[in-house]
Amino acid sequence: SRTTDPARVVATFEPHPPAGLDGLKGLLAASRRAKAALNLRRMAPGEHSSHLDPLGAPLAYVASAPDLLASAAGSPAFAATVAKARLRYAAAAKEIGNLAANATKDADKLRAMYASEILEAARAGLAPQQVQVERARARTGRPSWVT
């Protein structure tokens, strides 16, 4: 064959990735940060008593979801694992929000509020500080730094 002969190129592409992958990396990273924040006070829901957790420890599930996704890659279970991770993320955000609202110790309340802000920020695509501003704006109608 000569270099001037026409070449035949066949390109094959993988099928479209399952729905729900957009932003998933950020959600999983946020769940790991939120879980780490709660682990500092040993207060991650479901961590030591998952049989007592009515939601089945969604934060622990989502924080470990990268491993689950890696093991399901290339199989029909991958799309279902992505969907389940998103559902559990929403459940984790709700559970941590409730934990923050019901904490009795100040240190636990602050830690849970921080974890909740991490989760909310990732869901909204914001930084945790922006979540604080948005909460203040929703409560008062103005940003938190305006007195």
Side-chain angles (χ1 to χ4, degrees), residues 1-11:
S1 130
R2 298 180 310 215
T3 57
T4 57
D5 289 345
R8 182 173 177 227
V9 177
V10 177

Side-chain angles (χ1 to χ4, degrees), residues 47-114:
E47 189 64 28
H48 306 290
S49 57
S50 58
H51 64 286
L52 299 176
D53 189 345
L55 297 174
L59 184 60
Y61 177 90
V62 179
S64 64
D67 295 331
L68 298 171
L69 290 167
S71 66
S75 75
F78 186 76
T81 305
V82 169
K84 189 173 183 182
R86 284 199 171 275
L87 288 173
R88 292 283 180 98
Y89 188 89
K94 182 177 180 181
E95 182 175 44
I96 302 306
N98 290 339
L99 179 67
N102 297 321
T104 55
K105 296 179 183 175
D106 287 343
D108 290 348
K109 186 174 204 67
L110 290 172
R111 182 65 59 176
M113 287 172 57
Y114 176 65

